[in-house]
Amino acid sequence: MAGYKDFAFFYDSLMKNAEYESRFDYIIGLLAENGIGEGILLDMACGTGTLSEMFSKKGFDVVGVDASEEMLSRAQEKKLEKNFDALFLCQKMEELDMFGTIDAAVCTLDSLNHVTDPEALKEIFRRVALFMNDGGVFIFDVNTLFKHRNVLADNTFVYETENVFCVWQNTLLEDNETTLINLDIFDRDEDEEDLYVRYSEEFCERGYELSSLKSMLEEFRFEVVGIYDDMTKAPVKEDSERAVFVCKKHGTQFI
């Protein structure tokens, strides 16, 4: 799973197309439909805390968890700059260890695709269930196998802002499910406009059959109440690039 070191410093500027406000409204709507409008919310793989801030200002008690110290450092800076309340913890998702129970959990922007070992993914689901109250709601999204095989595939993408240039190179591995991703980031020097500093990151993402994810979740008392095409209430299609799972916890998880 990616730790995001140098990339953390450029993450916000390169993620401006993430539609955070629309995504937040969408998730809030899904939570409300399933009886969650307040309480303790876990923002898993919270990154630099953009959604954590939004959930906090909506009235949730937010716990943000991420494996990257660099991402959390930026989240802490943002917390002070924008004056919102959230507890940030540096933990891998498969090592999730909360101080108490939660009412909701959210994991967005294909963060679970970074987990390439199915057993590690099951452990994440187990731990979310362990700390979630009866009737709690777990919402997450994943990039689909279609996206891995047809969009990411062996393609290269370029992102450019005023001061940052990013080359995103993909290699679809032999299993036809896992994509090796190489990021080369060029940051313009503040003093020399024609000089750039290069940073590199490498990580993998894996696509999963949606039916396999559903079976994993059901092992841990999660009822999958909906699987939607991204940012809609429509069913996932053959060419959907991202699927959103809405899951409701039933009973108490002891294992």
Side-chain angles (χ1 to χ4, degrees):
M1 193 167 19
Y4 283 156
K5 294 180 181 178
D6 294 323
F7 187 43
F9 299 104
F10 311 103
Y11 187 83
D12 285 339
S13 63
L14 293 170
M15 291 295 289
K16 289 182 178 178
N17 64 345
E19 301 179 278
Y20 281 114
E21 291 186 3
S22 297
R23 193 166 299 280
F24 168 74
D25 290 340
Y26 175 64
I27 293 170
I28 284 293
L30 293 175
L31 289 170
E33 287 176 10
N34 289 278
I36 304 294
E38 59 183 4
I40 300 174
L41 182 143
L42 171 65
D43 185 5
M44 287 206 308
C46 65
T48 63
T50 300
L51 284 174
S52 296
E53 176 191 358
M54 294 179 180
F55 286 120
S56 175
K57 290 183 175 178
K58 187 70 174 178
F60 285 95
D61 296 315
V62 177
V63 180
V65 170
D66 202 282
S68 168
E69 293 180 3
E70 291 79 8
M71 286 285 197
L72 290 177
S73 176
R74 179 61 190 126
Q76 281 291 129
E77 291 173 4
K78 195 177 293 184
K79 174 182 170 180
L80 294 175
E81 290 168 3
K82 300 193 175 183
N83 191 31
F84 66 93
D85 190 24
L87 173 65
F88 290 114
L89 303 175
C90 189
Q91 296 180 355
K92 294 181 178 179
M93 291 187 287
E94 63 268 38
E95 297 174 1
L96 180 70
D97 190 8
M98 305 295 292
F99 299 112
T101 56
I102 58 177
D103 301 295
V106 172
C107 189
T108 61
L109 299 174
D110 57 90
S111 294
L112 288 175
N113 291 105
H114 288 267
V115 184
T116 57
D117 178 1
E119 291 304 313
L121 186 59
K122 285 180 67 173
E123 179 63 11
I124 292 169
F125 292 159
R126 186 189 75 82
R127 286 178 178 262
V128 173
L130 178 65
F131 293 106
M132 183 166 283
N133 290 322
D134 183 22
V137 175
F138 180 25
I139 296 174
F140 66 89
D141 64 50
V142 287
N143 282 339
T144 61
L145 283 169
F146 173 86
K147 183 172 182 178
H148 276 268
R149 293 167 179 169
N150 298 279
V151 179
L152 298 177
D154 294 309
N155 293 318
T156 298
F157 304 93
V158 174
Y159 303 93
E160 186 173 8
T161 68
E162 183 178 355
N163 295 310
V164 178
F165 184 82
C166 176
V167 181
W168 178 304
Q169 301 180 81
N170 300 316
T171 304
L172 184 64
L173 302 185
E174 290 184 1
D175 65 5
N176 207 32
E177 295 178 346
T178 307
T179 304
L180 174 65
I181 298 172
N182 287 278
L183 298 180
D184 287 306
I185 302 166
F186 300 86
D187 181 31
R188 189 191 300 272
D189 189 276
E190 292 182 0
D191 300 317
E192 298 286 342
E193 288 192 2
D194 295 330
L195 179 64
Y196 286 80
V197 180
R198 177 180 176 180
Y199 303 90
S200 296
E201 297 273 1
E202 180 179 284
F203 54 91
C204 286
E205 286 196 19
R206 176 175 178 171
Y208 290 91
E209 293 285 355
L210 303 187
S211 58
S212 296
L213 296 176
K214 184 173 182 290
S215 295
M216 289 183 195
L217 289 157
E218 288 172 346
E219 285 187 43
F220 304 110
R221 297 181 181 270
F222 279 116
E223 175 194 2
V224 178
V225 297
I227 305 176
Y228 305 122
D229 196 5
D230 192 28
M231 303 284 278
T232 75
K233 295 294 295 295
V236 175
K237 305 185 295 291
E238 287 186 6
D239 60 350
S240 292
E241 296 184 19
R242 180 177 279 144
V244 177
F245 279 70
V246 181
C247 315
K248 198 156 200 173
K249 171 75 183 305
H250 294 293
T252 303
Q253 187 70 33
F254 294 109
I255 61 172

